[in-house]
Amino acid sequence: MAKIQGAVVIEKERCKGCDLCVVACPCNVLALQPKEVNDRGYHFAYPANETACIGCAACAMVCPDACIEVYKVIER
Amino acid sequence: MTREEIIKEENKVYARPALLRDDVMHYCPGCSHGVVHKLVAEVIDELGLAEDAIGIAPVGCAVFAYNYIECDWIEAAHGRAPALATAASRLNPSKVVFTYQGDGDLAAIGTAETIHACTRGENIVIILINNGIYGMTGGQMSPTTLEGAKTATTPYGRRHDLNGFPLKVADVVSLLDGTCYVTRQSVHTPAAVRKAKKALTKAFLNAKAKKGTSFVEIVSTCSSGWKMTPEQANKWMEENMHKHYPLGDIKDVDAKTN
Amino acid sequence: MKGNEAIAHAAIRYGADGYFGYPITPQSEVLETLEALMPWETTGMTVLQAESEVASINMVYGGAATGKAVMTSSSSPGVSLMQEGISYLAASELPALIVNVMRGGPGLGTIHPSQSDYFQATKGGGHGDYHLIVLAPSTVQEMADFVGLGFDLAFKYRTPAMIMADGIVGQMMEKVVLPPQRKRRTDAEIAEQCPWAVTGRTGGRPRNVVTSLELDSAVMEKNNERFQRTYREIEKNEVRYETKYTEDADYLIVAFGSIARICLKAIEDARKQGIKVGLIRPITLWPFPYDAIREAARNVKGILCVEINAGQMIEDVRLAVSDAVPVKHFGRMGGIVPNPQEVLDALEKDFINPTKA
């Protein structure tokens, strides 16, 4: 059976911590940094549960700041 | 597979649009403008219009739209973008001219320019970001503010006996013979983003094919102005804005003729 | 032909790219003539009747930003509506031509001739520190000639120019020699001549953005300094005026536009009576011919400013001569045009025989 694996790269300095990617992710991959902030003082998003990512790009599509890149591999 | 094995150029399925400039956008966290900017940048790029697109920026939150999308731009006076677009398009018929306006700009101070560009059937794309508020000036009532909504100038909620009714401007322009495509979209979910992109693509193709005016309204949020988190704002928009401003195509001359 | 018609013909012959206008008396013949001549079939010039003067001037702004030679025309109340757009044109350093065929104000006023928009045209009109190059024709020939001159100056200095005519010269019929037909510039010529123009990033060139917005005050001040340098250049190079009978004059009349012709008749009548009067007719109202008036005033006993208004240009004339010479105003308002005898009477009352009055 094919297995889909994904990964996201979040440009943390662009992120404003709006949380919309976290909400959009169907696999609960993303979270906002609970303590750490970026140079602008935002709790930026990060892949907290990386292995669950399926590379669907839902997060990237709704990201208003275009700070998410998505990669996807389909293993057969 | 390890993360390193996945993150390779050949596996990339979503990247920052090539025509989005490096500047960090000045919009508040969660603002719909950013998503629509991305879509406009993607559509211009994908249709091969990078050397043909001329954007007309509004007054309002998107006043700096020209800082973010890599194409030629003219910054208009408040509400006048469709007048600028009319001349830019007529004098440069090989180019594709689009305006990018908020609801205050397009549906209040610029109503006349909007209506007349649409009724003349100018071969342009008009993009309306409708978040029902004046964001830039601090959250005052706009023509599209819903009844009951609290704003800086309707602190007890908009009342139609005092402030009139919310203006369904897309429905208005759909009645004009010059519009070829009028649609209402949103960008709050991945599915909505996909549909909005399809609508924008159609609109830019219409302009290139000189079919008349395409009007794309994006029902949007203003979490700062609405005093909500971006997530709450999306929810409020779905429950309230989408009721008054239902999503979908309002007019499509291509679909009608058979 | 009429002055307004001459403007239309001259615009086509100049190779103008676009005209955007809205009907208002007494200048509607400009738009009417252009629509009748259908230049889009010949030179390719765009002509569009807009929904308002506000839209017209913003169409001019949009067209000018793409490097095209574009113009509009209107009359006083309409030009008031255009002031915002004119300020944007000036701030964005865009060439454009605006024609004001003035009528009597304030408010809706009258449809009859006036010169009461002098302050508006020469001192700003819209908001911010800017100037227009203001040309004041007194003949139908000049109506035609100033279209080309206005466009040339606008493009030379990248600033809007105005032809400030009035209802007399707009409606009056005279013989006129029209300029030869020029070809409209090609897109390649525009790209070369106007590297700032918004034409799409053709050939992948770095993008152009036309904007008057600058939130960094330090940069905005630099922008203003650049505008002012341009204005100083214009003041140095572009002052235009005409003098008649000034060499031996005891008295000087300063008048612009159509009323200058009436004054010339008054001057000729005065000279028959042995009163030596000369005329200075400013052709550019901005830049104003301060030096020429100062020079001409050196040997005169008094200056009469004759204007079809309550006295506007007189402020510039007084600036020119300081207190060296008495300066008086004569004018009519509300659309009434003084006749030569009234001008003579004013001259006599103010200077020649002041006790008689």
Side-chain angles (χ1 to χ4, degrees), chain A:
Chain A
M1 204 179 99
K3 190 186 168 201
I4 299 172
Q5 272 195 288
V8 293
V9 176
I10 299 175
E11 211 182 321
K12 74 170 193 186
E13 289 309 328
R14 278 190 193 282
C15 178
K16 295 174 185 155
C18 75
D19 206 35
L20 291 180
C21 58
V22 178
V23 176
C25 177
C27 304
N28 296 315
V29 173
L30 300 170
L32 296 187
Q33 283 285 354
K35 288 194 180 134
E36 206 185 328
V37 294
N38 63 15
D39 288 354
R40 288 162 193 266
Y42 291 117
H43 292 281
F44 54 92
Y46 76 109
N49 183 17
E50 205 161 48
T51 52
C53 180
I54 54 167
C56 71
C59 55
M61 269 187 268
V62 299
C63 172
D65 290 286
C67 42
I68 307 178
E69 273 184 358
V70 185
Y71 297 83
K72 181 165 151 179
V73 175
I74 302 173
E75 284 183 286
R76 284 171 208 282

Side-chain angles (χ1 to χ4, degrees), chain C residues 48-69:
Chain C
L48 182 62
Q49 178 171 341
E51 64 270 27
S52 68
E53 288 91 350
V54 175
S56 309
I57 196 68
N58 282 285
M59 288 172 182
V60 167
Y61 178 48
T66 69
K68 305 282 181 179

Side-chain angles (χ1 to χ4, degrees), chain C residues 229-246:
Chain C
R229 278 197 300 278
T230 301
Y231 299 145
R232 297 299 86 78
E233 270 301 293
I234 297 170
E235 286 171 338
K236 205 170 77 193
N237 303 333
E238 306 301 343
V239 172
R240 286 170 170 77
Y241 59 92
E242 182 188 41
T243 58
K244 288 254 168 84
Y245 306 115
T246 48

